[in-house]
Every structure is written in structure tokens, then in C-alpha cells.
Amino acid sequence: MEDGQAQKRKSRQRRKQCIVLIFVAVVLVVLAIVLWLVLRTSEHEEFKRVFTSRCDAYGGGYDCAKTWSAFEQAYVGKDPCFVPPESYQALIEAAPIKPDCNRMMFWSKTKDVVHDFTSKKECFITMEDTFVGSVLDGLTWCSKVGSKETFTSGCPGWSDCVNNTVRSFWSKASASFAQVACGKVSVMLNGSIATPFSPASIFASIEVKNFNPDNMKSLEVVLVTQDKEVSNCANPSLQDLQKELAQGISYSCSEVPESQIEECASDPEKPCGSCW
Ligand code: APR
């Protein structure tokens, strides 16, 4: 009899111990979740930190708090597929793109070669060297209806919808960059593809259409070629480009091997502008 009661007592004790252990585990998990929620930096805060640190690093006296709030009002709380380019008007007004006559360089399908060149030789500035361009280059951002968050992944891709958060920013910024283009303007196009001046590109569909002949004297095409040249200056798409230019803007085209551009960029003896 006594043995049986002792066993019952023991099993009751074990059950109690089990319940206590489960309770402690649950409390610990809840505490961990609460701590994580309190301490984690939201994606929005992290994106704001990147924006602000790039803004500070750029210098030039830009008001980073003001430009951030002009930027976030463009997309926060909105459907990421319904953010038209005009949404970024306030940002462009807060940080207008400044003209830099005779040094403005456009590009299409030549991002790496052009930025490698401009990072080594300070002869030209691209959209990505302007304040807004440099702060947002390479970043992805979007929000959603009713949200105060910024997401940096899961955003619609470039061609998922036309008015997506990121594409609309580049459309708006590129239009502004082109509107102020002045003096002798250059563009690096890709001679390794069949259509160096592609109608779907930002350069063709937005920038060329925003060139202002009152400000601009000429457009020089630098057609970057590789060993296997696919297109040359006689390419039909370049004839289209010539036709699209407003009267008063003169046109020229040079075929330049990519290796020549790279060598020249790395040669400190070569003066600015003598690479082609
Ligand atoms: N997916 C994601 N990003 C894309 C895509 C795509 N399918 N297509 C273009 N982009 C973005 C990328 O950031 C890419 O580096 O646009 C950039 C330029 O694309 P290109 O087709 O190479 O060139 P283009 O559309 O003509 O835009 C370049 O716009 O940024 C301005 O002033 C700049 O003259 C330049 C022009």
C-alpha cells in the first residue's frame, strides 16, 4: 500500500516539475520575442540610416532630414506598383539636379564601363554622381497600402509594373538630369548589342526626349566596342537617335574599344577628355 502511495506522490511531483519546466520555457520564449521586437531595427529605420549616411557623405550642404521626408512621402503607405514618377517631384524640388555644362555623361547598357571610367577620371558626371542619384544608386525600396514601413526585398521588379517605386524614381531623376544637360553632352552606348539606342531604355524613352536645345550644343556618342563588334556608328538605331535630337543639337559618334577606355582611365598622364 505504502509503496503505491509513494509512487503516486513521485509521479505527481514529476508532473509538477514538468509543468514548471514548460511554464519557464514559455516565459523565456515570450521574453525573447518581446526583446526581439523591442530591440530590432525596422527595415524602415535601416533604410533611413543608409539614405542619411549617404546624404551626409555626399556633402554639399543638403538638408538630409528634409530630403528624407520629401523622399519617403513619395512611396510610404502606397501600392508599390502605383507610384508614378511625379511622386518624386517634392524630392527633386528639395534637392534639384544641378547642371554641369560640358561634363554631363549619359549611358545605356554600359553601366559598369561608364562608372569605372568616371570613378577614375573626373572629366564627366553621370546621373549616379548627382546628389539624388548617388544616395539611391543600387538600392531597392517600396512600401504597401496602409503601411508605414519601407521594405527592401519583395518589391516589384523593374518590368513587373511600369509605375513601380524604384523605376519611377529613376524615370523622374533621369528626366530632370536630361532637362538641365548643357553644352557638349556625351553618352556611352554599347556596341556589343544589336540596338545600342534601344527605344525601351531610359536614355531613349526619357532622357533624349527631355534634352533642351536652348541649353545643349551637341551630343557625342561614344560607342563602346569589344573584340567582337556587333554595332558600329552606322547602326540604324543610331540614325534614329540622330533624328530624335531637336534641331540645334549637333551629333557625332566615335567607335571606341572598351580596352582603350579602361587603359586611358587608369593612366594618370592622360588629360581629361583625351580618351577617344
Ligand atoms: N531590372 C532592374 N533594373 C533595371 C532593368 C531591369 N530589367 N532595366 C534597367 N534597370 C535599371 C538598372 O539600375 C540599370 O542599371 O536601369 C539602369 C539602366 O538600365 P540600362 O538599360 O542599361 O540603361 P537605360 O535604361 O538607358 O538607363 C540609363 O538612365 O540612370 C539614367 O542617366 C542615366 O543615362 C543613364 C540612363
Side-chain angles (χ1 to χ4, degrees), residues 247-276:
Q247 270 205 337
I249 301 177
S250 68
Y251 170 91
S252 62
C253 176
S254 335
E255 292 152 20
V256 187
E258 187 172 341
S259 55
Q260 182 181 325
I261 295 173
E262 283 166 359
E263 275 161 34
C264 186
S266 309
D267 183 350
E269 301 296 314
K270 286 266 186 184
C272 252
S274 67
C275 290
W276 48 82

Side-chain angles (χ1 to χ4, degrees), residues 106-109 111 127-128 158 174 201-203 207:
F106 293 79
W107 56 272
S108 197
K109 307 284 183 293
K111 189 170 186 176
M127 172 70 229
E128 293 70 27
W158 192 261
S174 301
S201 66
I202 289 189
F203 178 64
E207 293 177 326

Side-chain angles (χ1 to χ4, degrees), residues 67-276:
T67 48
W68 167 260
S69 78
F71 169 68
E72 67 167 352
Q73 64 76 38
Y75 71 94
V76 170
K78 297 185 185 170
D79 183 323
C81 270
F82 290 93
V83 174
E86 296 70 48
S87 309
Y88 291 98
Q89 179 64 28
L91 173 65
I92 297 296
E93 277 170 18
I97 293 182
K98 296 175 186 156
D100 197 343
C101 298
N102 307 318
R103 295 180 71 220
M104 294 168 84
M105 169 70 87
F106 293 79
W107 56 272
S108 197
K109 307 284 183 293
T110 51
K111 189 170 186 176
D112 292 342
V113 56
V114 79
H115 289 136
D116 176 66
F117 183 78
T118 53
S119 67
K120 291 178 183 155
K121 281 235 180 290
E122 293 184 347
C123 323
F124 296 103
I125 61 139
T126 63
M127 172 70 229
E128 293 70 27
D129 299 306
T130 66
F131 171 72
V132 285
S134 87
V135 167
L136 291 161
D137 190 26
L139 302 183
T140 299
W141 65 93
C142 67
S143 184
K144 59 183 176 191
V145 174
S147 170
K148 289 189 172 141
E149 259 292 351
T150 293
F151 307 109
T152 52
S153 57
C155 297
W158 192 261
S159 18
D160 288 341
C161 44
V162 176
N163 281 339
N164 74 64
T165 328
V166 176
R167 185 172 172 153
S168 288
F169 164 73
W170 289 107
S171 300
K172 177 70 189 172
S174 301
S176 308
F177 188 60
Q179 278 156 12
V180 298
C182 49
K184 293 180 181 172
V185 172
S186 312
V187 61
M188 265 193 203
L189 298 179
N190 191 334
S192 304
I193 54 177
T195 314
F197 180 65
S198 159
S201 66
I202 289 189
F203 178 64
S205 64
I206 294 174
E207 293 177 326
V208 170
K209 293 184 173 17
N210 275 284
F211 283 157
N212 182 349
D214 295 337
N215 304 334
M216 234 174 103
K217 212 167 148 190
S218 60
L219 178 72
E220 177 181 37
V221 173
V222 177
L223 189 65
V224 184
T225 58
Q226 286 177 333
D227 293 344
K228 203 173 157 288
E229 182 190 286
V230 176
S231 302
N232 57 26
C233 283
N235 185 276
S237 77
L238 296 178
Q239 289 163 21
D240 295 340
L241 166 57
Q242 226 173 316
K243 277 185 229 143
E244 283 233 14
L245 287 180
Q247 270 205 337
I249 301 177
S250 68
Y251 170 91
S252 62
C253 176
S254 335
E255 292 152 20
V256 187
E258 187 172 341
S259 55
Q260 182 181 325
I261 295 173
E262 283 166 359
E263 275 161 34
C264 186
S266 309
D267 183 350
E269 301 296 314
K270 286 266 186 184
C272 252
S274 67
C275 290
W276 48 82

